[in-house]
Amino acid sequence: MHRRDDGQPLRDAITEAGLSIEALAEKTKTIDGYGISPSTIGHMVATGASGRSKFQERSCDLAARALGKPIGELFSHTAPT
């Protein structure tokens, strides 16, 4: 899956939830017992050279669920144009 709008919706959702990257990573662990790493979330939200566009569906699903958002608000199955 691909992040929408270079991760802006995800950054907005994290801010809205009042979470840090580390706190969001911890919250994803409560969903499946494993969660996703703070570094992966960092790549999801980064705007510079460390930013990535494509992520595993599992990671996207966990981030969206931890934020209480529909996955489609934050990520897309199609690559950005």
Side-chain angles (χ1 to χ4, degrees), residues 14 19-26 36-43 45-46:
I14 291 169
L19 297 172
S20 65
I21 288 173
E22 293 79 12
L24 177 57
E26 282 298 315
I36 53 179
S37 71
S39 64
T40 296
I41 295 170
H43 291 304
V45 300

Side-chain angles (χ1 to χ4, degrees), residues 1 28-29 31-37 40 44 55-65 71 75:
M1 297 192 79
T28 64
K29 288 181 185 177
I31 296 171
D32 74 347
Y34 298 101
I36 53 179
S37 71
T40 296
M44 288 177 167
F55 299 92
Q56 291 181 357
E57 188 166 352
R58 175 188 167 274
S59 296
C60 298
D61 179 60
L62 285 173
R65 289 173 59 191
I71 194 169
F75 302 95

Side-chain angles (χ1 to χ4, degrees), residues 3-15 44-45 47 73-74:
R3 63 186 185 164
R4 290 193 178 276
D5 298 323
D6 289 327
Q8 188 62 51
L10 183 58
R11 289 190 295 278
D12 291 344
I14 291 169
T15 300
M44 288 177 167
V45 300
T47 57
E73 266 185 38
L74 308 174

